[in-house]
């Protein structure tokens, strides 16, 4: 590879090493200092760059405004469970399968495109905000418009509110689909009024949020919903440059028995073509084939188009960014760099694992500290007080529990960061950790223990603390 970079013959470099008394063959690894020596011996000027520069140039090429062309909107459907997200996704897809087209067969690849008034719309095929959040957590934003589904025979529910908050946090405009209007108990007006309390102001309430009454099962007003999406998309003025190397995001990825690693990607800018070499997350590969949402092979995919990519060496993760690079060497370099980074991170995480009671105990023991820091969250204030006083009684001259924080409610991200900075274990009594807290605790290597019986909790802590007592006693 060094020969390649210098545009020299590999055999000449091997010869150079031989003269130095070193037997080398192509593919052997040399360190940076040696590489620098060799390069300067061959008359090249060496510029040492930081490893992080390896990725430079990806994801930040500016497009000239005259190169930008309109692109289809990418839509995610969110809302409370059972309000009809899946039914709506299916209804829109099925209504749009043109008779005779590929036998009307649709392929679930993680996203699909439909056409309305000659314009395309891309739907992310995973309902709910889980996919949305996962992508955002990995730094990718795939969605342009969020469809908030609310059942007209129900109310604004907890996941409706969560969806609103996610869309708002991401700065993604909402279109409200008031679903199940075929039901006798349907009351669309009630939904609109309830949405006011969560600062979603639909047009008839003097706001700017578009809303459409639909029935997914009766296929009512689906075209109106698509028209609303196109209208919103026009306001957003979505554009991308199709005439450049492709970049985008991985929507789904799996290891297929027959086809190897298969990733569904959403092209966000540029055009992805077969034969392209791409890096996706820690993986890379040469695009062997592109498959669209009807199961047909395509030669290329432009902005906002979802396609399955075949030919990757490994399976990337949903939410990973991808980009086409100039050659295999560069693809390898970037993916190796990222894999090493990921390995180092996971090793560091394991080394830093301090959450489990046993590990904490032994760590405290070696450090000579005789305090056992704990963060306690419970369902009600009463049980927390009972736990704290029981733990207080366990304390001896030698070792005692130190409660760094206690409170009622679910375990949150801020609890985890508090536990991290104070080296505490987290105890949940009749409460769970929310998703962000779980992710954060995994990242930080902090174990969260759950209990629903005070006796069990106190017993475990007692056992852990007795391990802290000096061994001679
Ligand atoms: P999701 O959990 O939000 O994906 O909801 P589903 O799509 O699974 O729908 C939940 C239930 O509501 C299913 O039994 C659907 O058949 C039903 N449902 C969905 N849309 C409608 C609709 O427009 N009208 C009626 N009557 N039922 C619907």
């Amino acid at each position: 590879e060094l020969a390649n970079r210098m545009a020299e013959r590999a055999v000449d470099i091997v010869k150079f090493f031989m003269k130095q008394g070193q037997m080398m063959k192509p593919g052997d690894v040399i360190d940076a200092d040696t590489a620098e020596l060799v390069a300067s011996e061959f008359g090249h000027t060496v510029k040492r760059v930081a490893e992080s520069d390896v990725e430079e140039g990806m994801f930040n090429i500016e497009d000239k405004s005259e190169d930008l062309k309109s692109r289809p909107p990418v839509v995610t459907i969110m809302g409370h469970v059972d309000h009809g997200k899946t039914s709506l996704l299916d209804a829109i897809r099925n209504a749009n399968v043109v008779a005779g087209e590929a036998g009307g067969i649709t392929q679930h690849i993680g996203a699909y495109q439909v056409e309305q008034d000659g314009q395309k719309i891309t739907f992310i095929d995973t309902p709910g905000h889980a996919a949305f959040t996962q992508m955002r957590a990995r730094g990718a934003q795939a969605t342009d418009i969020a469809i908030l589904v609310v059942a007209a025979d129900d109310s604004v529910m907890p996941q409706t509110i969560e969806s609103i908050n996610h869309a708002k946090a991401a700065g993604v405009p909402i279109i409200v689909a008031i679903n199940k209007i075929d039901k006798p108990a349907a009351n669309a007006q009630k939904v609109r009024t309830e949405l006011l309390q969560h600062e979603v102001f639909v047009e008839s309430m003097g706001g700017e949020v578009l809303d459409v009454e639909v029935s997914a099962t009766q296929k009512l007003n689906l075209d109106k919903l698509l028209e609303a999406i196109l209208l919103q998309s026009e306001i957003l003025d979505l554009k991308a440059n199709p005439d450049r190397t492709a970049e985008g995001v991985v929507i789904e990825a799996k290891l297929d028995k027959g086809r190897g690693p298969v990733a569904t990607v959403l092209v966000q800018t540029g055009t992805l073509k077969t034969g392209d070499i791409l890096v996706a997350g820690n993986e890379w590969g040469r695009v062997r084939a592109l498959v669209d949402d009807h199961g047909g092979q395509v030669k290329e995919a432009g902005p906002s188009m979802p396609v399955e990519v075949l030919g990757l060496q490994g399976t990337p993760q949903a939410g990973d960014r991808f980009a086409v690079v100039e050659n295999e060497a560069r693809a390898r370099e970037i993916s190796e760099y990222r894999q090493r980074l990921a390995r180092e991170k996971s090793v560091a995480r394991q080394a830093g694992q301090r959450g489990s009671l046993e590990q904490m105990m032994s760590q405290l023991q070696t450090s000579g500290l005789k305090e056992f820091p704990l963060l306690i969250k419970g369902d009600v204030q009463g049980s927390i007080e009972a736990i704290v006083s029981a733990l207080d009684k366990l304390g001896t001259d030698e070792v005692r529990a130190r409660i760094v924080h206690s409170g009622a409610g679910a375990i949150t991200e801020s609890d985890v960061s508090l536990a991290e900075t104070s080296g505490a274990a987290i105890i949940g009594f009749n409460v769970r950790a929310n998703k962000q807290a779980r992710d954060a605790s995994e990242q930080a290597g902090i174990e969260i223990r759950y209990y629903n019986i005070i006796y069990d909790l106190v017993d475990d802590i007692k056992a852990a603390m007795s391990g802290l007592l000096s061994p001679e006693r």
Side-chain angles (χ1 to χ4, degrees):
E1 190 175 334
L2 181 62
N4 222 338
R5 295 273 180 107
M6 297 192 300
E8 303 282 352
R9 295 188 313 161
V11 58
D12 291 336
I13 296 180
V14 172
K15 272 192 196 146
F16 170 82
F17 275 113
M18 263 162 69
K19 274 193 216 141
Q20 314 285 315
Q22 264 182 294
M23 295 308 287
M24 284 282 184
K25 56 183 191 312
D28 283 351
V29 177
I30 54 174
D31 61 31
D33 287 334
T34 314
E36 183 166 356
L37 179 84
V38 175
S40 48
E41 281 295 322
F42 277 80
H44 295 276
T45 332
V46 174
K47 186 175 145 236
R48 289 252 189 145
V49 293
E51 279 210 311
S52 54
D53 292 349
V54 166
E55 305 195 32
E56 206 181 297
M58 296 183 79
F59 308 129
N60 52 12
I61 306 162
E62 289 279 329
D63 288 307
K64 286 201 230 74
S65 60
E66 65 260 32
D67 294 333
L68 295 174
K69 303 211 171 77
S70 286
R71 64 168 177 87
V74 180
V75 179
T76 301
I77 297 196
M78 301 203 269
H80 196 71
V81 64
D82 278 347
H83 279 196
K85 299 180 294 294
T86 314
S87 307
L88 198 56
L89 272 168
D90 289 347
I92 292 168
R93 186 209 320 256
N94 295 335
N96 218 268
V97 175
V98 186
E101 177 194 348
I105 297 164
T106 53
Q107 212 76 18
H108 283 262
I109 65 166
Y112 65 82
Q113 272 191 329
V114 298
E115 238 178 74
Q116 175 74 17
D117 306 332
Q119 289 173 275
K120 289 197 167 90
I121 300 171
T122 305
F123 282 87
I124 305 280
D125 209 359
T126 327
H129 53 255
F132 189 78
T133 324
Q134 188 188 17
M135 298 237 180
R136 288 239 306 148
R138 300 181 73 83
Q141 179 144 332
T143 302
D144 300 309
I145 298 169
I147 305 294
L148 180 68
V149 179
V150 190
D153 64 338
D154 200 0
S155 319
V156 167
M157 299 296 278
Q159 285 164 21
T160 319
I161 299 165
E162 262 179 69
S163 302
I164 294 170
N165 292 337
H166 280 300
K168 282 193 173 162
V172 170
I174 291 172
I175 294 175
V176 180
I178 303 175
N179 191 31
K180 307 198 187 184
I181 50 153
D182 58 295
K183 285 201 158 185
N187 186 347
Q189 204 51 26
K190 176 168 155 263
V191 170
R192 291 191 186 93
T193 317
E194 284 180 359
L195 284 171
L196 288 180
Q197 290 164 20
H198 303 283
E199 280 163 41
V200 176
F201 304 110
V202 300
E203 278 186 312
S204 62
M205 296 283 187
E208 285 174 356
V209 175
L210 303 174
D211 68 296
V212 186
E213 293 182 17
V214 297
S215 165
T217 47
Q218 304 298 312
K219 306 203 185 330
L220 286 175
N221 290 346
L222 299 183
D223 50 344
K224 286 214 178 99
L225 181 60
L226 297 183
E227 274 158 22
I229 292 168
L230 289 177
L231 185 64
Q232 183 68 58
S233 147
E234 212 167 285
I235 298 167
L236 292 172
D237 194 22
L238 303 166
K239 285 184 169 160
N241 177 5
D243 303 313
R244 47 165 290 183
T245 52
E247 287 177 14
V249 58
V250 176
I251 306 245
E252 254 181 40
K254 60 176 186 234
L255 188 59
D256 188 291
K257 264 199 188 135
R259 300 186 296 168
V262 179
T264 296
V265 302
L266 178 72
V267 177
Q268 293 181 303
T269 183
T271 298
L272 183 62
K273 304 181 174 111
T274 50
D276 277 350
I277 293 161
L278 66 81
V279 179
N282 298 341
E283 307 298 338
W284 72 279
R286 182 186 290 272
V287 180
R288 196 170 71 230
L290 297 171
V291 181
D292 71 7
D293 53 348
H294 295 285
Q297 293 219 2
V298 290
K299 286 239 147 42
E300 52 179 49
S304 297
M305 180 162 168
V307 272
E308 279 188 334
V309 174
L310 275 60
L312 288 170
Q313 307 278 326
T315 314
Q317 291 181 24
D320 277 344
R321 309 261 312 141
F322 83 84
V324 169
V325 296
E326 62 269 25
N327 56 40
E328 259 185 52
R330 178 117 174 89
R332 265 215 193 91
E333 179 180 40
I334 296 168
S335 77
E336 274 164 17
Y337 167 68
R338 288 185 178 170
Q339 280 170 11
R340 184 148 42 79
L341 221 61
R343 261 199 310 277
E344 283 166 6
K345 261 196 197 150
S346 103
V347 169
R349 210 178 296 150
Q350 276 161 20
Q353 193 116 61
R354 67 205 121 178
S356 85
L357 294 180
E358 292 74 20
Q359 273 165 338
M360 274 186 64
M361 201 174 70
S362 69
Q363 257 178 28
L364 287 177
Q365 224 160 11
T366 47
S367 69
L369 254 176
K370 299 294 178 182
E371 265 189 344
F372 196 0
L374 292 168
L375 192 154
I376 297 168
K377 292 301 283 280
D379 51 347
V380 289
Q381 200 55 43
S383 53
I384 296 163
E385 277 162 19
I387 292 164
V388 170
S389 95
L391 291 178
D392 256 353
K393 290 203 188 92
L394 288 181
T396 65
D397 288 347
E398 292 223 321
V399 57
R400 56 181 57 258
R402 182 164 64 90
I403 315 296
V404 296
H405 173 69
S406 69
I411 297 159
T412 64
E413 217 175 341
S414 76
D415 291 328
V416 175
S417 58
L418 184 56
E420 193 180 0
T421 48
S422 49
I426 300 179
I427 307 285
F429 184 76
N430 280 337
V431 293
R432 312 294 299 176
N434 65 24
K435 166 108 176 74
Q436 290 89 332
R438 282 202 305 276
D439 290 349
S441 70
E442 239 163 63
Q443 279 281 321
I446 290 179
E447 196 190 274
I448 303 176
R449 293 226 165 186
Y450 301 105
Y451 296 91
N452 43 32
I453 297 168
I454 294 186
Y455 175 81
D456 288 348
L457 188 165
V458 175
D459 223 36
D460 271 10
I461 305 293
K462 194 170 163 186
M465 290 207 321
S466 53
L468 272 184
L469 296 172
S470 305
E472 62 264 28
R473 297 197 122 213

